[in-house]
Each structure stands twice: as structure tokens, then as C-alpha cells.
Amino acid sequence: MIKIIAANTIASYILIEHLATTIWHEHYTSIIGQDQVEYMIRKFQTATAIKAQVKQGYCYYIIYYNSIAAGYLSIKKEGDALFLSKIYIQKEYRGKGLGKTAMAFIEQQAIKRNCTKITLTVNIHNSKSIKAYKYMGFVNTGSIVQDIGNGFVMDDYTMEKTI
Ligand SMILES: CC(C)(COP(=O)(O)OP(=O)(O)OC[C@H]1O[C@@H](n2cnc3c(N)ncnc32)[C@H](O)[C@@H]1OP(=O)(O)O)[C@@H](O)C(=O)NCCC(=O)NCCS
């Protein structure tokens, strides 16, 4: 059974930090290299960084599969768009419908917040996830390179889904 629960305690931010550490090392090392993975976890996915993002309007949720924390997601309203900032499922739980259930949940959240579309950015070399997003109804709307400091950049496509 899949459940999606809002994360708004320090304990839940620590759990997300652990999930991010596992998933990002496994998934992104071959895409952006270990140094950038570690830098980005420190900058964006420690419990302290998450707490600061929540204060800025990001909402985090943990995705449970049979009571196990299998992944997480984060969203933020930006005008008429709901920005899907993060969606990460642990490798062993992918392909079981968690992403699809999470996306249906995100669409409900978009409707609740009077948004007409969901937007996201995805690394241009993250080809499996790009395929999954296209399958789930997203279209490519351009590209963006963001300087994140320490000599690192995020080299992304922008995608969106109209709802
Ligand atoms: C992208 C991600 C969130 C998708 O979650 P998931 O639980 O694996 O997805 P689901 O099992 O719910 O699949 C959703 C649908 O997309 C399809 N799909 C998933 N991966 C696919 C791929 N690589 N190519 C084509 N279709 C794909 C599935 O077949 C499924 O459709 P179906 O139910 O009709 O068969 C997950 O794979 C993930 O966390 N990846 C690694 C981290 C990442 O890159 N996150 C995105 C950062 S921008």
C-alpha cells in the first residue's frame, strides 16, 4: 500500500536527509560525479536546509510503501504553476507505481492550490527520469543552466504538464 504523508517535523527532515543521501549517491554519481552529489546534498538536502526551504514555502512529503519510507517529494506554488522541486524513489521501489501515485497526488495538490500546470527541471543526462516524465504527460519547454557555487552548475531541461 502506498501512502504520502506531509513532512513537517525535524525527525521527518532527518529521514528525508537519509533518503536523499542514499538515493542521490546511487542515482546521480554517474551523472554529475561524487563531488557535486556531496556538495548538493550539503547545500539542499540536510535537515537544516530542508527546514529553511519549508520556511520559504516548499512542502515536503514522504512516500511510504507498505509502511517503509521509500522516497520523498517536494512542491512549491509559483504563480499559476506548481513547481515539482524534488521527486525521488529508492532504486528497489522504482517501477512499482510509486511515481505514478505521487504524480496523481501532486496533480491534486496543484488543483487545490489553483494551479494550471506542474513545472519541473531535470538534468539533461537523467534520461530514465526524462522518459518517465514524458510518459506521465510532461513536455519539454526549454533548458536552464544554474550556477550553484563551488564551480558546479545544474544543467537541466525544463518540463511542464498542463492540468
Ligand atoms: C522518476 C521516478 C520518480 C519515477 O518513479 P517510479 O516509481 O519508478 O515510477 P512508476 O513505477 O510509478 O512509473 C510511472 C509510469 O512511468 C513509466 N516509466 C517509469 N520509468 C520509465 C522509463 N525509464 N521509461 C519509460 N517509462 C517509464 C512506467 O512504466 C509507469 O507507467 P505504467 O504504470 O503505465 O507502466 C523514479 O524512477 C526515480 O526516483 N528515479 C530516480 C530519481 C530521479 O531521477 N528523480 C527525478 C529527479 S528530476
Side-chain angles (χ1 to χ4, degrees):
M1 202 219 297
I2 301 167
K3 276 192 185 168
I4 299 173
I5 312 273
N8 38 35
T9 61
I10 294 295
S12 61
Y13 304 155
I14 291 169
L15 176 53
I16 292 168
E17 178 179 336
H18 288 309
L19 287 167
T21 303
T22 304
I23 299 169
W24 287 34
H25 274 106
E26 172 272 316
H27 189 71
Y28 280 126
T29 302
S30 65
I31 299 177
I32 55 175
Q34 190 177 338
D35 288 352
Q36 184 164 346
V37 168
E38 283 169 5
Y39 175 75
M40 288 181 71
I41 292 169
R42 277 200 308 276
K43 190 173 170 81
F44 299 119
Q45 297 288 258
T46 61
T48 309
I50 292 165
K51 189 180 170 194
Q53 288 163 30
V54 168
K55 278 197 182 141
Q56 292 162 13
Y58 288 86
C59 301
Y60 274 84
Y61 299 86
I62 298 172
I63 305 164
Y64 288 89
Y65 182 70
N66 292 338
S67 304
I68 295 162
Y72 68 99
L73 67 92
S74 163
I75 51 178
K76 184 176 188 254
K77 182 173 164 67
E78 293 182 342
D80 67 345
L82 189 69
F83 176 54
L84 173 53
S85 170
K86 313 263 181 313
I87 177 165
Y88 294 101
I89 313 283
Q90 295 203 65
K91 190 173 186 181
E92 57 269 46
Y93 297 104
R94 288 177 204 147
K96 295 180 186 296
L98 273 69
K100 206 169 169 178
T101 302
M103 206 54 84
F105 172 82
I106 292 158
E107 283 192 33
Q108 283 170 14
Q109 296 299 313
I111 292 164
K112 232 167 116 175
R113 291 165 166 80
N114 294 317
C115 295
T116 56
K117 60 187 176 184
I118 300 166
T119 57
L120 60 84
T121 59
V122 56
N123 184 285
I124 61 167
H125 301 296
N126 193 356
S127 49
K128 278 190 189 164
S129 300
I130 293 169
K131 276 188 195 150
Y133 287 141
K134 284 187 176 160
Y135 186 84
M136 291 191 273
F138 284 80
V139 295
N140 198 320
T141 52
S143 55
I144 181 169
V145 179
Q146 296 175 80
D147 187 334
I148 53 168
N150 264 33
F152 297 118
V153 294
M154 293 199 307
D155 194 1
D156 291 340
Y157 289 129
T158 56
M159 301 186 84
E160 72 177 44
K161 179 178 184 174
T162 304
I163 46 172

